[in-house]
Amino acid sequence: MVNFTIQNVLIAVSDDYATVDLQVVDDKIAAIAPNLQVIGTAIDGKNKLLLPGFFNAHTHSSEMWQRGIMSMFPLELWLAELYDFAPLVPEQVYLSALGTAVETLLSGGTSVVDHLVLIPGLELETIAIATRAYKEVGIRAFIAPLIQDESLTAGMPSGESTQTHEPYFRSAAVTLEIIEEAVRQFHRPDEGVNILVAPTGIQLCTDALFEGCTELSDRYNLCRHSHLLETRAQEKLAEEKYGCTAVEHLKKIGFLSNKTSLAHCIWLNDADIAILAETQSTVVHNPLSNLRLGSGIAPILKYRQAGINVTFGCDGASSNDSQDLLEAIKIGCILHNITDSDYQHWITPRQAVEMASLGGAKGLNIADKLGSLTVGKQADLVLYNLTNLSLLPRTDPIGLLVLGRPSNVVDSAWVNGKQIIADGKVTTINVDELRQELFNRSQWETKRKSETVAQIEAHYRTVMGL
């Protein structure tokens, strides 16, 4: 157990800031007040801002290997290209999980939800490797093994044509057995590793897979995570598959709940919004990938007005192409000023910070333990250096952090009371070695052509009216 006291640090209070001391005893926040007695190590918080750690609430770590090179395609074609060039080996899974953790931490995130792509035939090994990487760095990990039981072409609407799809190589039943075994081996919330049930989405999953995931979630008290209505094509597909909206269907089969977080949620109607509010499901907003893939702008202001919990994710590093959480929060905050002319609905910097911290905790059903500077909560904390050039001159610290272009501003970070960033550097792993490994295992590349895209592009253009 670790004890420390951060002295003379700035924290946000209702509409202002206060300078206080914060004590951490046995990995939990024990007291917040001015002039506290020092317990354990004294940490100088002068000219620094203390916030609860943010959640990178949706990403795919192994996509890091494809960043910067993916074509300017919409999701359906982009995925085909990704799959053509992304056969992974275990060492890549390990290095990209380390990289995702480090970039998340250095942009204010202390928790990551990794919708983890599994190596076929090495599914449990893939999960074990990602778990090892996250534990080495010390970030709080929510590993959501990405599963499906239909082949890639099934993810596109048929339109007027009759489509036949190759059967997927692994059945729903076998997939669910793998996830249950992963829960037995790796789900250790007290050690900072959580397993989620995470069907990729309605476009590539049968009801059997969704219902099996719901049953596992109930039996083991696991959170649920999925993509939802990221594209117009998925909206059309749901109508073809179910004769109703995807949200109506997921409600009908029991997947939506206060333990369910849903990435994207762009193409929802007002009835769908009411269902998400009623089921207390969480929306994970991934503004950068939505722009990069031309998916659309999620109606986040409508969600907030309906009382839906919203938080932020970077999404995978080849649809973004970064894991800078502060960047995702900034764009996810100001993008919506053009979707509603009533400026009283716009997201303020303070609201954005609360969405990124407490909103992330709510989405994972742990708001009683994380997400705010509250006595009794676990010490997942980030200290920002307010003398950094990108946070000057001095105005509103949270305004500078959210609306500015802060770089290298994280001074220190703790996860569950353990310090893993000090003086702006990760202390748990050698980041220079990680950079060298990522450099050595890759090469400069510009020209490549995806065979799968060549096969499906004409059909995609037809069904989407292009």
Side-chain angles (χ1 to χ4, degrees), residues 139 259 290:
I139 199 167
K259 294 190 292 194
N290 297 346

Side-chain angles (χ1 to χ4, degrees), residues 327-342:
E327 182 186 43
I329 293 166
K330 174 178 178 172
I331 301 292
C333 171
I334 62 174
L335 177 63
H336 304 284
N337 298 3
I338 61 167
T339 67
D340 185 340
S341 55
D342 188 346

Side-chain angles (χ1 to χ4, degrees), residues 6 117 132 175 221 453:
I6 304 174
V117 177
R132 174 164 70 96
T175 298
N221 193 27
V453 170

Side-chain angles (χ1 to χ4, degrees), residues 13 38 79 136 217 276 282 311-312 319 346 405 415 439 447:
V13 292
V38 172
L79 265 178
E136 281 176 20
S217 159
L276 291 194
T282 287
T311 190
F312 298 102
S319 64
W346 295 356
R405 184 65 185 89
V415 174
F439 186 89
K447 292 186 172 65

Side-chain angles (χ1 to χ4, degrees), residues 194-214:
N194 303 264
I195 300 294
L196 280 62
V197 293
T200 184
I202 61 106
Q203 66 281 9
L204 295 173
C205 299
T206 63
D207 285 359
L209 192 61
F210 271 109
E211 288 165 348
C213 284
T214 301

